[in-house]
Amino acid sequence: VRVLSDVSFAVGAGTLVGVVGPNGADKTTLFNVIVGVAPISSGRILVNGTSVEETRGVLAYVPQRERVNWRFPLTAWDVVMLGRAREIGWFRRPGGRDRDAVRSSLERVGMWEHRTDMVSDLSGGERQRVFVARALAQEADIFLLDEAFSGVDVGSQEGLVGVLRSLSDEGKTVVIATHDLTNLALRFDRVLCINHHVCAWGPPQTAFTPAVLEELYGSHGVVFAQEHEH
């Protein structure tokens, strides 16, 4: 069954992108396709001008919380060190550069003080910050975050947005799937509106129109648009 069609967009370096759409719009499928774990029947995906298969290490992916088994017996430090797996390989112990990368990543998301805590004991927002730190430790150029704000309190959300904005300011590309429609214009440079196909793509002020909202969310989108016309 084809779940995505007519999906075409290009994201430049230093851009913070919000991907929005209703439940079941296959935003996660889009992310899985981009990172190469789901097949495509036609078209192509280019990352920095080359195919996905040739870009190992360029992409860092933070999956939905619901897709993670939180019972694994690892500390926050251990989880972030997993982001160094490509650099460490199978036959080498983590070195000073790896430890520095992990510490820097944990400090950047405000989780250094929790480095020895078991992930299973952390709150939802703290777990998300640990997984963002793992992505940071990969030293990737492109970051994909699937529902990074789901189940996270407002304060933690703003902290994550600050970290991700700083990444884009450094020239990184950051793409986040989100259900939060109220702060799109403030948070993101561009938005990708998707409901099995691309409904709109561009700056929030021009892409997020009442017609697009209706295509995404039906009558609920119309009501939302009327309430936020300003």
Side-chain angles (χ1 to χ4, degrees):
V1 176
R2 178 177 293 179
V3 296
L4 288 171
S5 60
D6 299 323
V7 176
S8 181
F9 63 98
V11 185
T15 307
L16 186 57
V17 179
V19 180
V20 298
N23 288 329
D26 283 294
K27 300 184 293 295
T28 296
T29 301
L30 175 63
F31 279 30
N32 287 338
V33 163
I34 293 173
V35 298
V37 298
I40 59 174
S41 57
S42 62
R44 60 180 182 164
I45 302 166
L46 299 178
V47 179
N48 292 343
T50 61
S51 65
V52 173
E53 293 77 9
E54 301 173 25
T55 56
R56 290 180 61 84
V58 174
L59 290 162
Y61 182 33
V62 179
Q64 290 184 22
R65 292 192 327 166
E66 292 77 8
R67 295 175 177 269
V68 177
N69 177 8
W70 297 109
R71 295 188 298 274
F72 53 76
L74 295 177
T75 64
W77 173 276
D78 296 330
V79 171
V80 179
M81 186 60 78
L82 290 173
R84 302 294 299 170
R86 184 177 62 89
E87 300 292 334
I88 296 171
W90 292 103
F91 305 108
R92 184 173 69 83
R93 284 180 172 274
R97 187 172 183 275
D98 302 308
R99 291 189 289 271
D100 288 344
V102 172
R103 174 165 187 155
S104 174
S105 300
L106 283 166
E107 288 178 339
R108 193 163 185 176
V109 299
M111 288 297 292
W112 175 248
E113 299 301 320
H114 296 277
R115 63 190 179 278
T116 59
D117 293 353
M118 302 301 291
V119 172
S120 57
D121 295 333
L122 299 176
S123 69
E126 289 168 342
R127 290 173 178 176
Q128 284 297 79
R129 281 189 280 165
V130 167
F131 267 71
V132 171
R134 184 191 65 166
L136 293 174
Q138 291 180 234
E139 299 179 333
D141 296 324
I142 301 168
F143 295 82
L144 303 175
L145 299 95
D146 194 359
E147 303 292 353
F149 304 141
S150 176
V152 178
D153 62 84
V154 175
S156 295
Q157 283 188 29
E158 293 307 317
L160 283 174
V161 170
V163 172
L164 299 173
R165 171 56 67 187
S166 69
L167 286 173
S168 67
D169 290 342
E170 295 168 10
K172 308 292 188 181
T173 301
V174 183
V175 183
I176 313 170
T178 178
H179 283 292
D180 183 6
L181 306 182
T182 56
N183 296 306
L184 286 175
L186 297 175
R187 288 179 171 175
F188 300 110
D189 303 316
R190 301 176 77 83
V191 293
L192 178 69
C193 302
I194 188 169
N195 192 359
H196 304 294
H197 66 278
V198 172
C199 305
W201 162 244
Q205 297 83 353
T206 58
F208 219 51
T209 65
V212 169
L213 279 166
E214 183 175 10
E215 186 175 3
L216 292 175
Y217 303 106
S219 58
H220 295 291
V222 175
V223 173
F224 182 88
Q226 292 171 344
E227 292 176 349
H228 294 77
E229 280 185 324
H230 62 284

